[in-house]
Amino acid sequence: MSLLRVERLSKSFGALRAVDGVSFEVHPGELYGLLGPNGAGKTTTLSIIAGLLRPDAGEVVVDGRPFSADPQRAKRIMGVVPQELAIYEELSARENLEFWGRLAGLTARDARTRADELLAALSLADRAREPVKTYSGGMKRRVNLGCALLHRPRLLLLDEPTVGIDPQARLNILEFVRGLQREGTAILYTTHYLEEAETLCQRIGILDHGRLLAEGTLAELQHRLSGDRLFVLEGDLSGAAPETWPGFGEHFQMIQRTDRQLVVAARDRRDPADCLRELLNLPVRVENVTLKRPSLNDVFLQLTGRELRE
């Protein structure tokens, strides 16, 4: 059974449809990535799941029961790590953790014990008594993550937890998150970093303009684009008009085009050698043709016609 089920969620702010009929599930021990550019609706979706916003339509089900039926029960099951830091900079890491632990219902003794465990696990024990304002961005992100884990949540909502930090700090947080997933925590992870979604998540949902356009494993999403290969044509394409080339639109789907490069997928399961011969016979001078595996950005381009980071 899923630990989180989202059913046809919708939310508008005036004329803006921020979330538009979104549905997905997250199972125990699964890391589900919600991938999309800034403004796609990721944070609004998480805010609804966490009970911070009320949906206009749809339902959030946590561990088999609607969130609205018992919000306090649902909140005890989940931990939330917002994109904006929710920590007190004048306090130390230990004081922040113990404070949030008490808010989560732990006794003072249990909050201290659990804070010790998390400070060690997050590699913060040596500076645990220093004010958070003296920490690096990556250390602050780790404290922010720790504050959501005091009550040992079975469901964790992570809203872009690595935004704005250096690569080494990002790797540290990602490895810690992997450890939580291996221990059985269900994790909903929003990001607009392709490499994070590709390497971290068991399943990925692609969100844009408030709508879930596709979801599946990385392999399943790649399969949307003619299996596991794309053709990349290089040459002077500044005056080219692929839509006018005889037979091109019937046999190939254009994924991306620049003045120097054309990325296409075959529309059927023909032999790659046959595809290459056709591409080399196009009415344009092609300097090079290569094969590549589709990326999540290629899938996003195919679905939306624009780059993921736009």
Side-chain angles (χ1 to χ4, degrees):
M1 184 177 72
S2 60
L3 196 55
L4 171 67
R5 188 169 77 252
V6 174
E7 298 180 346
R8 300 180 300 279
L9 280 190
S10 293
K11 180 68 178 179
S12 295
F13 300 98
L16 174 64
R17 189 83 158 175
V19 180
D20 189 3
V22 169
S23 299
F24 59 86
E25 295 184 355
V26 186
H27 302 96
E30 179 181 35
L31 209 161
Y32 184 101
L34 202 57
L35 178 70
N38 292 329
K42 304 186 301 296
T43 296
T44 302
T45 300
L46 256 68
S47 296
I48 294 171
I49 294 169
L52 301 175
L53 288 174
R54 182 172 295 181
D56 298 331
E59 187 173 54
V60 175
V61 179
V62 179
D63 196 24
R65 293 182 62 183
F67 184 101
S68 56
D70 192 346
Q72 292 308 311
R73 170 187 174 273
K75 290 178 181 179
R76 287 194 297 270
I77 291 172
M78 69 174 69
V80 182
V81 182
Q83 183 175 342
E84 299 297 327
L85 295 174
I87 53 179
Y88 294 98
E89 301 244 343
E90 299 297 325
L91 301 181
S92 67
R94 170 177 294 282
E95 289 168 334
N96 268 283
L97 291 177
E98 291 186 13
F99 172 77
W100 287 106
R102 294 303 304 276
L103 281 184
L106 275 65
T107 65
R109 180 178 179 180
D110 287 345
R112 283 195 300 271
T113 300
R114 181 63 174 150
D116 285 337
E117 294 173 359
L118 288 168
L119 288 166
L122 291 164
S123 301
L124 293 168
D126 59 336
R127 296 185 60 183
R129 298 186 182 279
E130 298 177 24
V132 167
K133 66 182 180 182
T134 67
Y135 288 8
S136 67
M139 292 175 69
K140 290 178 182 179
R141 287 284 171 189
R142 278 181 275 160
V143 176
N144 204 44
L145 176 57
C147 289
L149 298 173
L150 268 294
H151 62 300
R152 302 180 189 275
R154 295 159 56 203
L155 169 64
L156 185 61
L157 311 181
L158 296 174
D159 190 8
E160 308 231 22
T162 63
V163 67
I165 60 176
D166 65 82
Q168 186 57 51
R170 179 179 296 174
L171 288 175
N172 291 339
I173 288 179
L174 295 184
E175 187 53 39
F176 185 80
V177 170
R178 286 190 185 96
L180 294 173
Q181 178 259 322
R182 288 192 294 266
E183 293 170 3
T185 305
I187 301 173
L188 176 58
Y189 190 103
T190 78
T191 183
H192 64 272
Y193 293 126
L194 288 166
E195 65 278 8
E196 288 186 3
E198 288 179 328
T199 62
L200 194 67
C201 304
Q202 283 74 55
R203 287 191 302 133
I204 299 163
I206 295 180
L207 192 71
D208 190 35
H209 297 303
R211 302 190 68 183
L212 193 68
L213 303 179
E215 71 168 357
T217 65
L218 178 58
E220 289 169 343
L221 291 171
Q222 288 172 328
H223 188 74
R224 295 178 63 99
L225 291 178
S226 191
D228 61 355
R229 60 179 180 269
L230 294 177
F231 298 89
V232 182
L233 287 70
E234 297 176 349
D236 183 4
L237 301 167
S238 56
E243 62 277 4
T244 67
W245 297 339
F248 179 81
E250 298 173 16
H251 296 157
F252 298 99
Q253 177 184 6
M254 188 161 54
I255 305 302
Q256 187 177 27
R257 177 188 170 188
T258 68
D259 287 345
R260 289 290 306 167
Q261 193 176 85
L262 184 66
V263 181
V264 302
R267 291 193 181 275
D268 50 40
R269 289 295 178 179
R270 288 172 302 148
D271 187 283
D274 293 335
C275 294
L276 283 171
R277 277 193 292 272
E278 286 190 44
L279 292 170
L280 289 171
N281 287 327
L282 291 173
V284 65
R285 184 180 177 184
V286 176
E287 298 171 5
N288 190 37
V289 180
T290 57
L291 291 174
K292 74 165 187 170
R293 290 179 59 84
S295 68
L296 280 178
N297 196 51
D298 293 320
V299 176
F300 195 84
L301 275 165
Q302 183 258 334
L303 290 168
T304 69
R306 65 192 184 107
E307 291 275 359
L308 178 65
R309 296 180 189 275
E310 287 181 4

